[in-house]
Amino acid sequence: MSNIEITLPDGSKQPVPPGIRPIDIAQSISPRLADAALVAKVDGELVDLNRPIEKDATLQILTNKDPEALPVYRHSTAHLLAAAVLELYPETKLGIGPPIESGFYYDFDRATPFTPEDLEKIEKKMWEIQARHLPYERVYTRKDEGLRKYGDAWMKCELITERAGEVFSEYTLGPHFIDFCRGPHLPNTSKIKAFKLLSIAGAYWKGDEHNKQLQRIYGTAFFTPKELQDYLNRLEEAKRRDHRRLGKELELFTVNETVGAGLPLWLPKGATIRRLLEEYILEKERASGYQHVYTPDLAKVDLYKRSGHWEHYHDSMFPPMDLETEQMVLRPMNCPHHILVYESKQRSYRDLPVRIAELGTMYRYERSGALSGLSRVRCMTLNDAHIFCTPEQIKEEFSGVMKLVEQSYRDLGITQYRYRLSLRDKADKVKYVDNDAMWELGERVLREALDALGLAYVPAPGEAAFYGPKLDIQLADVMGHEETYSTIQVDFHLPNQFALNYVGADGKEHRPVMIHRGVLSTMERMTSYLIELYAGAFPLWLAPVQVAVLPITDRQVEYAHVVQKALDAAGIRSELDARNEKVNLKIREAQLQKVPFMLVLGDREQQNGQVAVRNRKHGDQGAKSLEAFLAECRALIDSKAVSE
């Protein structure tokens, strides 16, 4: 039998016999490479190191230096978890156990709930199995045989039935564990060096709330113990900064099931932060030529059918309400309303650009499992705007929006972000409006505008809105998870849908271009981000309480009221703690509430018209005149300083 040809990453070619395994080729290259090998890539597809190669192919041997090997590593660790659970609790039924961005999970059907103590036992058992150096071996099983074998494992039977073809693959892990799986996997358990089980949660089978609820065990795995420890440290930091915990501790917002999931209630301190953000962006927009409007939170379904949102977006909308002769729906976005504002009168080219802005409340049907504090809600208020301009004005308007974004981020202290150019998937004619010329023009204009500004960006096919490409500004949390906060979209489609026009210099009607933009995202999401960015210790200008006034004894309470009145007159938000408690307790509580400044008032301060200043970060700052403190505090607020 003639040899086949293997092409290696450096371009070199090796003639080898058919049926050779990637691990054999790795061994022929270097025993060290073979020892480090985790998985292979044959013709661009990840495969087991023991999978025979039968034809000419390209081959790459992946080690722990290759990020693509990490999901395989984590998938194999998920199987290790399942094997440990079955050894300890053999009555358990297995669901699925995929790798995910932060690690892996496995779903189990078990009558008895898992406990934190169980996680410790399971993790110990995983290390026992890991030490046995058990191989992950791929076997093929006929459908009918598999259905008989898994007769009492309802989830496996359902998956096997859904699988196309008469044969499916499974992976064994030692003599007692076998699981329906596509693979690939590591060669054996000894390759797994660092893992940790993290938590237990409920999860519906296949993510459908109408299905049975299972128990999901989350874990993570890394190539080295150091990488694992670094991740666990970041996880602890994320918990410390979690906006849901801080939102409760700092009395910013609350969630009450009587109101409903995903519908947070803003408490006075949280409402103060939100109001400051709203006032800030409204002022910036007014200075940039935006006209602010109010539009209704609901509209006829017909409006969204005309815009195309109903066709492309209705799964994320709340069900329509039947009102006598018409159907109304809570709006999922504001653009159709702003289009109607634009067309409320005839526009001339001299009027353009028309910049229409609103803090518009919208409603999205998010599944209950996806809801989270302020970051993922069902009712949200977007810092929204739509610019109607001529094609020649696109680049200038785009540049103006970018300047507004970057100024806002500087004032808010946001420094870590990147630009993502979200493009359509050309093959997807269902999700995206089928108009090649429109898409090519929109994408070209955006690229040219970005290049003119000298901004580095990452293309992201498949992330565009259904009607046009967009630039997304991606912010990452402490764990590195990215979300879109600001966005700019160039839209040639909706002006056509609504037959918008303006009268040009030639006296003829022309079609405007529409730019959708959100600078601060929704008030809910931006507030959640800022809570976590600052771990609740907001910059002075955003802090709900900027100064705590703390009289040492009852003798200073009258002077404390004088100080608070002066703070109020200077536009500085303060709280007076006049309780008959020791001042150290008052200081500690103000510190826990992350109040930027504490003014301690004793007999000396009262006699001299002074305040003893404490900074939440730097401690005792000494005594100052009240006037000097007010001036310093006001200067920090006015400059939008992000640290005191």
Side-chain angles (χ1 to χ4, degrees), residues 138 148 151 230 256 302 308 328 395 402 419 421 502 537 554 563 591 603 618 637:
R138 185 185 183 99
R148 284 195 301 272
D230 288 345
N256 191 306
D302 292 345
M328 307 293 286
K395 290 182 184 177
M402 288 306 306
Y419 300 111
L421 182 57
Y502 65 91
D554 288 346
V563 169
Q591 197 82 34
D603 288 336
H618 305 295
I637 294 168

Side-chain angles (χ1 to χ4, degrees), residues 456-488:
Y457 58 88
V458 176
E463 295 294 336
F466 76 85
Y467 48 77
K470 56 179 178 159
L471 179 70
D472 292 323
I473 295 92
Q474 304 292 107
L475 275 62
D477 63 17
V478 69
M479 298 304 297
H481 302 140
E482 284 193 346
E483 290 276 5
T484 300
Y485 281 77
S486 304
T487 187
I488 311 170

Side-chain angles (χ1 to χ4, degrees), residues 31 63 127 228 311 317 378 513 525 589:
T63 69
W127 282 114
L228 174 62
E311 177 185 355
M317 298 171 68
R378 287 174 170 165
V513 179
R525 178 169 286 186
E589 291 186 358

Side-chain angles (χ1 to χ4, degrees), residues 396-409:
E396 183 178 355
E397 290 305 304
F398 182 91
S399 178
V401 174
M402 288 306 306
K403 290 175 183 176
L404 183 55
V405 169
E406 296 198 331
Q407 176 64 59
S408 300
Y409 281 16

Side-chain angles (χ1 to χ4, degrees), residues 314-330:
H314 75 272
D315 287 344
S316 297
M317 298 171 68
F318 280 93
M321 296 171 277
D322 291 315
L323 301 178
E324 298 178 355
T325 61
E326 57 192 17
Q327 279 193 318
M328 307 293 286
V329 67
L330 292 167

Side-chain angles (χ1 to χ4, degrees), residues 198-429:
L198 300 174
S199 61
I200 308 160
Y204 294 107
W205 173 237
K206 295 182 176 178
D208 187 336
E209 58 198 39
H210 299 102
N211 288 337
K212 184 173 184 179
Q213 189 171 51
L214 309 173
Q215 296 186 70
R216 176 172 293 178
I217 295 180
Y218 283 100
T220 193
F222 288 87
F223 292 132
T224 67
K226 182 183 183 304
E227 289 174 305
L228 174 62
Q229 190 55 55
D230 288 345
Y231 174 82
L232 295 176
N233 291 343
R234 292 198 307 275
L235 202 59
E236 284 303 309
E237 181 64 12
K239 290 178 182 176
R240 185 179 77 84
R241 293 174 179 268
D242 190 328
H243 82 277
R244 294 165 298 183
R245 180 180 66 82
L246 288 170
K248 182 177 181 180
E249 292 177 2
L250 301 179
E251 301 176 9
L252 302 178
F253 70 93
T254 188
V255 177
N256 191 306
E257 287 304 314
T258 306
V259 176
L263 301 170
L265 301 170
W266 293 82
L267 301 178
K269 291 180 181 178
T272 296
I273 297 169
R274 172 174 170 163
R275 185 175 65 254
L276 291 166
L277 288 173
E278 291 176 344
E279 290 171 350
Y280 168 83
I281 196 61
L282 290 174
E283 178 186 339
K284 292 292 182 188
E285 287 173 340
R286 281 193 292 269
S288 298
Y290 287 86
Q291 303 173 68
H292 291 99
V293 300
Y294 293 102
T295 59
D297 291 0
L298 76 170
K300 291 182 180 180
V301 171
D302 292 345
L303 177 63
Y304 298 102
K305 288 182 177 178
R306 184 180 178 189
S307 69
H309 289 103
W310 186 256
E311 177 185 355
H312 292 274
Y313 211 80
H314 75 272
D315 287 344
S316 297
M317 298 171 68
F318 280 93
M321 296 171 277
D322 291 315
L323 301 178
E324 298 178 355
T325 61
E326 57 192 17
Q327 279 193 318
M328 307 293 286
V329 67
L330 292 167
R331 66 177 174 189
M333 63 280 300
N334 309 308
C335 32
H337 291 73
H338 289 186
I339 288 171
L340 299 182
V341 170
Y342 174 86
E343 72 169 19
S344 64
K345 70 175 187 177
Q346 180 67 59
R347 308 282 180 172
S348 160
Y349 72 96
R350 292 188 178 89
D351 300 322
L352 270 53
V354 174
R355 306 182 187 100
I356 296 171
E358 179 179 14
L359 290 165
T361 301
M362 313 178 304
Y363 303 84
R364 306 270 175 91
Y365 176 67
E366 297 276 4
R367 291 190 177 276
S368 57
L371 300 172
S372 179
L374 291 177
S375 63
R376 187 74 67 177
V377 295
R378 287 174 170 165
C379 173
M380 64 215 77
T381 300
L382 179 65
N383 161 226
D384 203 6
H386 297 89
I387 301 169
F388 300 84
C389 63
T390 69
E392 296 76 23
Q393 293 170 328
I394 292 175
K395 290 182 184 177
E396 183 178 355
E397 290 305 304
F398 182 91
S399 178
V401 174
M402 288 306 306
K403 290 175 183 176
L404 183 55
V405 169
E406 296 198 331
Q407 176 64 59
S408 300
Y409 281 16
R410 280 195 298 273
D411 289 342
L412 292 171
I414 299 171
T415 58
Q416 300 298 317
Y417 54 93
R418 71 181 183 94
Y419 300 111
R420 184 183 76 183
L421 182 57
S422 296
L423 309 170
R424 66 166 171 163
D425 177 354
K426 292 183 179 180
D428 191 340
K429 303 296 185 182

